[in-house]
Amino acid sequence: MTSDPQPTPPEQGPADSVPEDPAHRDAARQDANHQDAKPPADPAYKDRVHRSPAAIAGGVLLLAIGVWLGVDALIRGEGNTPWIALAGLLFAVPLVVAYTVRPAVFSNEDRLRVRNPFRTIVLPWGAISGLRSGYSNEVFTQDGTKFQLWAIPVSLRGRKKAARRHAQQVASDDPVASRVRPGAPGATPPNTRDAGDQAMDDLREIAERREHAEAAQGEPVVRWAYEILGPCAAGAVLLAVLIAVG
């Protein structure tokens, strides 16, 4: 007598699997997101800073001399002399800082920021119509407003040196220098441009490349340097009062 075959248990399909714990599912998703997350990338183009080393050195020297004389007058002076010395320092120190240490030009892919003695001008590249180098370096906006670039001075002596270097390269049969007009902006051979003219060439290149970029559009913004004007005005008023009373 044969026995009946035992029924085979059905295979367990996906629908019959044990339900997943929601807490475990959320934890797994967070781990995956953490693994896929990447640290933020650095800006593609950081600010390039143009300053005058000679102006900074001269300003530091003037500040050192002025502070030395002023402190000496404060300590050894008699009568109104210490007050006059204090007012003189309050008036002169901001002026020296404004014309020597403060000026700078910052450029990146979106805008040009000009820090002059008493103003800071922010110019998106789309708002700039041109940059001109003559007896001073200047930037023009689309409406014709002109701003001087104090931090990039013009050196006629440097231009003469650059012209002499160019002539020496031509005399040495340099195939590149012989095809380039001395002092011409653009594709010049190395070491034949003054530092200020080379800085202006770099700014012109960025302006031409980024003038139509969406991120480089906007209106010029001008802000007065009240941190310079305030102490200077206070020192001038105090100095005038002391001299008048005096």
Side-chain angles (χ1 to χ4, degrees):
M1 184 175 180
T2 59
S3 59
D4 296 333
Q6 296 294 329
T8 303
E11 295 182 358
Q12 192 176 35
D16 299 328
S17 60
V18 179
E20 184 180 3
D21 188 355
H24 291 166
R25 183 173 62 252
D26 294 340
R29 185 181 299 112
Q30 292 177 1
D31 292 341
N33 293 337
H34 180 72
Q35 293 177 358
D36 295 338
K38 296 180 179 180
D42 292 335
Y45 193 96
K46 295 183 179 180
D47 279 0
R48 177 182 294 180
V49 184
H50 301 276
R51 307 186 76 171
S52 173
I56 294 175
V60 171
L61 180 61
L62 287 176
L63 288 174
I65 295 174
V67 170
W68 174 52
L69 294 177
V71 171
D72 183 73
L74 286 173
I75 295 175
R76 301 183 181 184
E78 298 178 355
N80 288 338
T81 302
W83 290 102
I84 294 177
L86 180 61
L89 287 175
L90 192 60
F91 171 73
V93 168
L95 284 181
V96 174
V97 171
Y99 283 101
T100 59
V101 180
R102 172 180 163 81
V105 173
F106 305 87
S107 61
N108 61 24
E109 290 286 270
D110 297 334
R111 50 100 180 107
L112 177 71
R113 181 160 62 95
V114 181
R115 197 170 68 190
N116 281 343
F118 301 113
R119 292 187 298 179
T120 298
I121 306 103
V122 179
L123 301 169
W125 293 115
I128 295 176
S129 63
L131 293 109
R132 185 179 68 184
S133 296
Y135 291 104
S136 64
N137 290 314
E138 301 160 341
V139 58
F140 291 84
T141 62
Q142 297 292 349
D143 60 2
T145 305
K146 178 181 70 174
F147 299 102
Q148 186 174 348
L149 305 181
W150 282 79
I152 308 179
V154 171
S155 174
L156 298 180
R157 183 179 179 183
R159 287 178 178 175
K160 291 179 180 179
K161 288 183 177 180
R164 284 198 298 267
R165 288 196 299 266
H166 180 272
Q168 291 173 358
Q169 291 185 359
V170 172
S172 64
D173 297 330
D174 189 324
V176 177
S178 60
R179 296 195 301 267
V180 181
R181 177 174 57 85
T188 57
N191 301 322
T192 60
R193 294 284 281 164
D194 175 62
D197 292 337
Q198 184 60 53
M200 293 297 290
D201 288 347
D202 295 340
L203 295 179
R204 290 190 189 96
E205 188 274 331
I206 302 175
E208 294 174 358
R209 177 165 49 86
R210 297 290 296 173
E211 61 178 340
H212 299 300
E214 182 178 356
Q217 306 303 313
E219 296 295 328
V221 177
V222 179
R223 185 185 72 84
W224 288 95
Y226 295 107
E227 65 276 12
I228 297 291
L229 295 173
C232 186
V237 171
L238 181 59
L239 189 60
V241 171
L242 290 172
I243 293 175
V245 171

